[in-house]
Amino acid sequence: MKLTSEELPKDPVYSSLSQYAAKNQSFSQWRKEKSDHYSHANLVDKALQLLKERIRRGDAVAYFLRGQLYFEEGWYEEALEQFEEIKEKDHQAMYQLGVMYYDGLGTAVNAEKGVEYMNNIIDSPCPKARHLQFAAAYNLGRAYYEGKGVKRSNEEAERLWLFAADNGNPKASVKAQSILGLYYSTKEPKELEKAFYWHSEACGNGNLESQGALGLMYLYGQGIRQDTEAALHCLREAAERGNVCAQGHLVEYYYNMKFFTKCVAFSKRIADYDEAHDIPMIAKVTDCLPEFICRGMAMAAFYHARCLQLGLGISKDEAAAKHYYSKACRLNPTLADELHSLLIRQRI
């Protein structure tokens, strides 16, 4: 299970460039006057001009916001340089540097340095670092889980994630709550009741990955009694919100229930996602792990291929079926092999 870093938590005082710009009268006026040039590139350029002027006047907030704008635009080298300049005075800059060094954004991977910065956040007595500490603990737990920058330790990862999850506090790390759900459902031996508890907490706090996971736990009676109605409710809501793994499992459900026309229509859209472009984009938008996005796409591709092969809900097309079978194998060879075994035994 390859994890991702947690995004910068919102600061209760100032959280984003958009919030900053919305409060800036000249920015608002410019938007009204230049509506014909209301493009992303022009907005970014104008924002940089305004921030440059604020920095010239000595606005400390503007220093960080310029770095954050660079970061959000994917200009990581510029962001790194900006954050390095202010890291001793701005905990948010230090947090972002920790993420960038750990993940190798704008610089070579330096997990030890990333871990050092996250430890600095957790250990800081400064009130301005308080809103970052749960997320930093999640990231540090990830480092222990992956054994990067520190000696690998599932026990330490679990301890840090439990601290970061803070008993389901919605103001803590919801990502840690979701990861605990995944951790307890995949460790040996599994602790499915704990997994269900943490996915429930994370789902209640808006986490999309956990909403899909809850649907599967209800569907198969894992950690909770089986409840198909609750399962479909969770899976459909998660699917509508963009959870591709939930979408893939709905495809499987429609196929097994012999709703072939619905299965074909739903599966084609998912199976036709572009692997190179769409998986990173979906992961960024939904904060779902790429591993599970690939699984959902592979499942949809396999069942779409089966429908094409047998002419279920669609005209037979052996060539198209072969294409989608190949795509399923490419996306998730293990899952494709499991489904192929079911096919051989005439279970599909």
Side-chain angles (χ1 to χ4, degrees):
M1 185 168 62
K2 185 172 175 55
L3 306 182
T4 54
S5 294
E6 181 153 13
E7 290 185 1
L8 179 75
K10 292 181 179 179
D11 188 304
V13 179
Y14 59 94
S15 61
S16 68
L17 179 61
S18 59
Q19 184 184 68
Y20 173 83
K23 292 180 179 178
N24 188 295
Q25 291 184 353
S26 59
F27 185 81
S28 300
Q29 184 63 33
W30 176 80
R31 284 178 62 171
K32 293 175 183 177
E33 293 174 355
K34 303 290 184 180
S35 57
D36 55 329
H37 296 293
Y38 187 54
S39 70
H40 180 76
N42 287 332
L43 283 175
V44 170
D45 183 62
K46 185 61 179 179
L48 286 171
Q49 293 177 37
L50 291 170
L51 289 171
K52 183 178 180 180
E53 175 60 22
R54 289 286 182 175
I55 289 170
R56 189 186 67 78
R57 297 178 187 175
D59 186 342
V61 173
Y63 277 92
F64 169 76
L65 289 174
R66 184 166 68 176
Q68 184 64 10
L69 177 57
Y70 290 148
F71 184 89
E72 290 173 358
E73 291 298 305
W75 303 339
Y76 295 124
E77 291 182 2
E78 292 86 348
L80 191 79
E81 182 179 356
Q82 184 75 68
F83 291 144
E84 282 285 5
E85 288 181 17
I86 60 173
K87 66 184 180 185
E88 301 301 331
K89 299 178 181 178
D90 194 307
H91 291 89
Q92 294 195 126
M94 183 175 288
Y95 181 93
Q96 291 295 64
L97 285 171
V99 169
M100 295 178 78
Y101 280 116
Y102 191 89
D103 288 334
L105 302 176
T107 182
V109 171
N110 188 336
E112 290 80 6
K113 202 167 186 178
V115 166
E116 177 190 345
Y117 285 151
M118 290 302 164
N119 271 316
N120 288 345
I121 296 290
I122 292 171
D123 295 337
S124 175
C126 179
K128 292 183 179 180
R130 193 169 298 145
H131 74 288
L132 301 168
Q133 288 172 335
F134 291 126
Y138 161 79
N139 288 328
L140 193 55
R142 176 195 173 192
Y144 277 101
Y145 182 78
E146 296 175 338
K148 290 173 58 178
V150 290
K151 184 178 179 180
R152 192 177 189 281
S153 171
N154 284 351
E155 293 75 18
E156 187 63 9
E158 181 182 358
R159 184 190 71 80
L160 285 159
W161 287 337
L162 286 169
F163 167 79
D166 194 34
N167 295 317
N169 178 3
K171 295 182 180 179
S173 172
V174 177
K175 194 175 181 77
Q177 296 163 13
S178 181
I179 291 302
L180 281 168
L182 291 172
Y183 172 71
Y184 286 125
S185 62
T186 55
K187 65 174 292 194
E188 292 297 338
K190 294 179 172 63
E191 298 183 64
L192 295 177
E193 290 78 11
K194 287 184 179 181
F196 182 83
Y197 169 79
W198 283 111
H199 278 313
S200 297
E201 292 298 309
C203 178
N205 292 328
N207 185 273
L208 181 54
E209 190 103 81
S210 283
Q211 186 174 35
L214 276 181
L216 294 179
M217 297 188 85
Y218 275 119
L219 189 64
Y220 298 113
Q222 298 176 336
I224 190 70
R225 65 177 179 80
Q226 191 172 24
D227 186 334
T228 303
E229 184 178 347
L232 291 176
H233 175 76
C234 287
L235 288 173
R236 283 169 178 156
E237 280 205 356
E240 288 173 5
R241 294 175 60 204
N243 184 318
V244 177
C245 190
Q247 293 169 359
H249 280 280
L250 279 175
V251 166
E252 182 175 58
Y253 176 79
Y254 294 145
Y255 183 92
N256 290 334
M257 295 299 293
K258 303 188 187 308
F259 301 154
F260 296 123
T261 302
K262 195 168 188 177
C263 176
V264 167
F266 197 48
S267 63
K268 186 175 188 340
R269 177 170 58 85
I270 306 159
D272 282 343
Y273 284 141
D274 177 73
E275 300 145 70
H277 174 265
D278 289 338
I279 292 174
M281 182 272 293
I282 293 168
K284 184 175 182 179
V285 171
T286 64
D287 199 28
C288 291
L289 295 175
E291 174 184 342
F292 295 110
I293 296 170
C294 284
R295 183 177 179 85
M297 289 173 60
M299 190 172 287
F302 193 96
Y303 281 103
H304 191 70
R306 187 61 171 161
C307 288
L308 284 164
Q309 183 183 22
L310 299 179
L312 301 173
I314 193 172
S315 299
K316 283 188 179 182
D317 190 331
E318 290 285 347
K322 185 177 179 180
H323 165 75
Y324 286 108
Y325 277 136
S326 296
K327 187 167 187 177
C329 292
R330 190 167 62 246
L331 284 164
N332 193 320
T334 302
L335 174 66
D337 185 60
E338 291 171 2
L339 292 175
H340 185 254
S341 295
L342 293 175
L343 187 154
I344 291 173
R345 298 200 300 270
Q346 298 184 337
R347 299 276 299 280
I348 295 180

